[in-house]
């Protein structure tokens, strides 16, 4: 199956695929060729659907993750589509091979009691960094922002008369989220401390480093990780965990799933439905603890 070399050149020069993609496809196809040779198949025209299925079964049996198996099937489909286009084969034997189901990850979230302890009891310092760090946590947990959305916030994204924040999410899609009275007070307090500390430039970035520059993603991660470490033993302590916690808290309080979708800026309901799994787990735990016949 020496045609792999021409396929790789096609990916490189016509498709302009990334080096990572090309390396992945090369590795996947080499593994398939090795498997095919073990089955005494040495030419592309002799590869059939049965052989491809046998390879998939073999990969799954070896304990390969569904996501990795799926990528290898995709590599094979692309390869045979190319061979069909060039006239080397008449059919794509991988065309109807289904990708193994990838199990949904249940979002990790911080318990409400732990967040209450952090935001209500933790002794944040009264200097600029202490005030800033608390507001970062409050906005991530209280509004459900993505880290990139938080980093990109500007002063004019806050409307105090309408009591809302304008958030620019993925693909520049904007959404408006209401701010409660507590958050509005913290935002105003932060602005007073920040404006006393720094001369605000033309860029208008809302959150600044201690040197007066715009904050960056790694700094936000360090802030969140530092403070969450004081209240939770979760292995993962990232800004996205606070976004998960925001959604889970709303769902547990009875919020409508469509409303949560809009607040999070999800493009479809499927992405939001993952939170129902964590909510159901909590209900199951309560049932087991409280019901006399459980």
């Amino acid at each position: 199956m020496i045609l792999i070399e021409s396929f790789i050149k096609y990916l490189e020069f016509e498709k302009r695929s990334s080096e990572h993609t090309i390396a992945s496809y090369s590795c996947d196809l080499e593994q398939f060729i090795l498997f095919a040779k073990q089955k005494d198949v040495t030419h592309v025209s002799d590869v059939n659907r049965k052989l491809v299925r046998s390879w998939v079964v073999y990969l799954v049996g070896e304990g390969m993750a569904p996501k990795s198996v799926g990528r290898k099937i995709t590599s094979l489909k692309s390869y045979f589509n190319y061979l069909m286009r060039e006239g080397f084969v008449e059919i794509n034997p991988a065309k109807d091979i289904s990708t193994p189901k990838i199990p949904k990850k249940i979002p990790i979230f911080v318990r409400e009691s732990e967040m209450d302890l952090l935001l209500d009891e933790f002794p944040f310092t009264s200097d600029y960094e202490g005030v800033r760090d608390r507001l970062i946590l409050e906005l991530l947990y209280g509004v459900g922002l993505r880290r990139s959305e938080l980093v990109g916030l500007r002063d004019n994204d806050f409307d105090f008369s309408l009591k809302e924040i304008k958030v620019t999410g993925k693909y520049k899609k904007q959404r408006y989220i209401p701010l409660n009275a507590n958050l509005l007070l913290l935002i105003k307090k932060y602005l007073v401390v920040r404006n006393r500390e720094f001369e605000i430039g033309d860029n208008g970035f809302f959150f600044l480093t201690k040197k007066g520059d715009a904050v960056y993603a790694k700094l936000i991660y360090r802030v969140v990780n530092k403070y969450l470490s004081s209240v939770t033993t979760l292995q993962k302590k990232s800004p996205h965990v606070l976004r998960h916690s925001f959604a889970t808290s709303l769902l547990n309080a009875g919020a409508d799933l469509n409303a949560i979708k809009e607040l999070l800026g999800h493009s479809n309901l499927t992405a939001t439905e993952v939170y129902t799994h964590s909510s159901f787990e909590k209900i199951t735990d309560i049932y087991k603890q409280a019901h006399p016949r459980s």
Side-chain angles (χ1 to χ4, degrees), residues 81-90:
N81 280 337
Y82 167 77
L83 294 179
M84 284 178 65
R85 196 191 78 167
E86 296 297 314
F88 291 108
V89 296
E90 293 182 0

Side-chain angles (χ1 to χ4, degrees), residues 13 27 94 106 110 114 125 146 163 218 234 251 255:
F13 297 110
C27 180
I106 296 176
V110 185
E114 293 171 334
T125 58
R146 298 180 178 94
K163 300 179 181 179
K218 282 187 178 179
L234 287 175
L251 194 63

Side-chain angles (χ1 to χ4, degrees), residues 170-222:
K170 291 182 176 180
Y171 314 112
K172 304 294 182 183
K173 184 180 177 183
Q174 294 182 333
R175 65 188 189 277
Y176 293 85
I177 303 175
L179 298 169
N180 61 43
N182 180 58
L183 261 176
L184 286 167
L185 283 173
L186 290 172
I187 291 165
K188 289 176 181 178
K189 179 182 177 181
Y190 165 76
L191 286 172
V192 169
V193 175
R194 187 201 68 180
N195 294 346
R196 189 172 60 214
E197 191 83 14
F198 305 105
E199 185 176 326
I200 306 304
D202 296 331
N203 60 28
F205 280 108
F206 183 71
F207 282 117
L208 303 177
T209 69
K210 62 182 179 181
K211 292 183 179 179
D213 301 317
V215 294
Y216 47 93
K218 282 187 178 179
L219 185 146
I220 302 301
Y221 177 84
R222 287 202 298 265

